[in-house]
Amino acid sequence: MGPSASPAGHFVVLYFAAAASYTGKTSEHLASPMAAGELFGRLEQLYPGIRARVLESCAVTVNLQYINLDGDDAEGARVLLKEGDEVAIIPPVSSG
Amino acid sequence: MSATEPPTYQPAVPSTPITRSTPKIHVELTPDPLNPQEATTFVRSPSAGATVLFIGTTRDSFNDLPVSSLAYTSYAPLAINTLYSIAESILQKHECTKITIVHKLGECPIEEESIVIAVSAKHRQAAWRAGEEALEETKKRAEIWKLERFEGGEGVWRANRDGVMGVRVEDEGIQTEGGGVNGPGTAGTGGT
């Protein structure tokens, strides 16, 4: 996994914990470019119900940096997901 | 679809430890058994008069339900950055001498160590406070997930934030490649 693994015109999305259970995958490639604000909608199309069940309690990172997708005018929504980016869906954590 | 895992699910974990170290900070995610003695040895220093060691072990129940086994998975490249950043800020804030945070990945049998934190400081008050804060920050922020398997049932991804069990949903309409009792065979995560 990782940015170099993406085919041309795609970024990779990593799924962890409940997100991996729901999708049945640990990662997949989606077509780039895409505004980050459209990501959850795209995933809802692919996995009906995932938004309410999983994504609404998740954070999102792009190339190991968190972006803010909370609220309709969140600045993170305008981040462009580009070819080769590594995007990750981060469910609530549970270490310890 | 389900946000739970079948009893047969095995999380992907790195085969070797992932570490980040400086002379004063050591953070690590490891598939190997944890060694508390190594942690206290790392934080030893002639300028420190106190060492606090915290060992977290896996418990056999959650809300009185019997837990048969646990497994941890992680987004390792991000989690190691987060652990390092926690260690660095605590070292500064509490004027500690050295700190180490080590977390287990993969299967963790009941009553074995899942996290070890050691911190040394000139005096005991700073070491106590730093040790507690390091644990709380790690539980709050480190990108590590615990799968609790209940006796006779499937695994449930836990969330520290709300302290409640993950959502169980009906099995109807599962769209996984494997299907049946063994799928989603590809589910779960791994840092590598």
Side-chain angles (χ1 to χ4, degrees):
Chain A
M1 90 176 50
S4 59
S6 291
H10 290 75
F11 61 91
V12 67
V13 190
L14 308 182
Y15 301 115
F16 297 96
S21 303
Y22 203 93
T23 60
K25 298 171 182 169
T26 57
S27 69
E28 71 182 312
H29 296 104
L30 296 178
S32 63
M34 179 193 294
E38 294 168 17
L39 179 63
F40 284 5
R42 177 77 184 114
L43 294 177
E44 176 68 23
Q45 286 176 349
L46 293 170
Y47 309 101
I50 194 172
R51 190 165 197 150
R53 287 273 186 203
V54 178
L55 298 179
E56 279 175 4
S57 61
C58 289
V60 173
T61 62
V62 180
N63 301 328
L64 301 180
Q65 300 292 324
Y66 283 92
I67 60 169
N68 177 17
L69 291 180
D70 285 338
D72 291 336
D73 55 352
E75 75 271 21
R78 292 189 296 275
V79 170
L80 205 57
L81 307 177
K82 302 181 297 298
E83 176 176 314
D85 279 352
E86 180 174 290
V87 178
I89 307 296
I90 311 287
V93 298
S94 49
S95 68
Chain B
M1 285 202 185
S2 176
T4 62
E5 296 288 358
T8 49
Y9 167 81
Q10 297 291 324
V13 294
S15 54
T16 53
I18 292 157
T19 65
R20 193 164 161 196
S21 277
T22 66
K24 293 183 168 187
I25 295 173
H26 176 80
V27 293
E28 178 173 338
L29 298 165
T30 179
D32 303 328
L34 305 191
N35 186 334
Q37 183 66 53
E38 274 179 19
T40 56
T41 302
F42 174 80
V43 300
R44 271 186 195 159
S45 162
S47 64
T51 290
V52 163
L53 171 66
F54 175 84
I55 301 173
T57 53
T58 49
R59 203 172 47 216
D60 67 357
S61 66
F62 177 75
N63 284 354
D64 293 331
L65 287 171
V67 171
S68 57
S69 67
L70 294 103
Y72 291 93
T73 185
S74 172
Y75 184 12
L78 182 57
I80 205 77
N81 287 353
T82 301
L83 290 179
Y84 189 86
S85 138
I86 290 169
E88 198 173 36
S89 68
I90 282 177
L91 206 62
Q92 267 184 359
K93 178 178 171 186
H94 297 281
E95 296 180 358
C96 297
T97 312
K98 294 186 185 183
I99 183 168
T100 179
I101 306 173
V102 185
H103 202 290
K104 178 96 167 88
L105 294 183
E107 289 298 317
C108 191
I110 301 297
E111 82 179 25
E112 286 190 14
E113 294 85 355
S114 56
I115 183 169
V116 170
I117 294 174
V119 55
S120 61
K122 205 166 192 176
H123 301 297
R124 64 187 183 282
Q125 291 91 343
W128 281 123
R129 281 195 288 268
E132 179 172 28
E133 191 173 324
L135 177 67
E136 296 307 319
E137 284 297 301
T138 298
K139 287 183 76 104
K140 200 194 302 178
R141 291 173 50 198
E143 291 83 1
I144 296 167
W145 295 273
K146 171 169 29 186
L147 181 72
E148 289 175 326
R149 295 191 196 85
F150 294 90
E151 281 177 15
E154 76 269 84
V156 177
W157 291 105
R158 177 84 173 280
N160 284 344
R161 186 167 70 188
D162 47 21
V164 298
M165 191 184 288
V167 180
R168 287 169 185 268
V169 288
E170 300 299 319
D171 279 348
E172 291 167 29
I174 286 185
Q175 296 176 1
T176 55
E177 289 163 10
V181 290
N182 290 322
T186 54
T189 64
T192 56

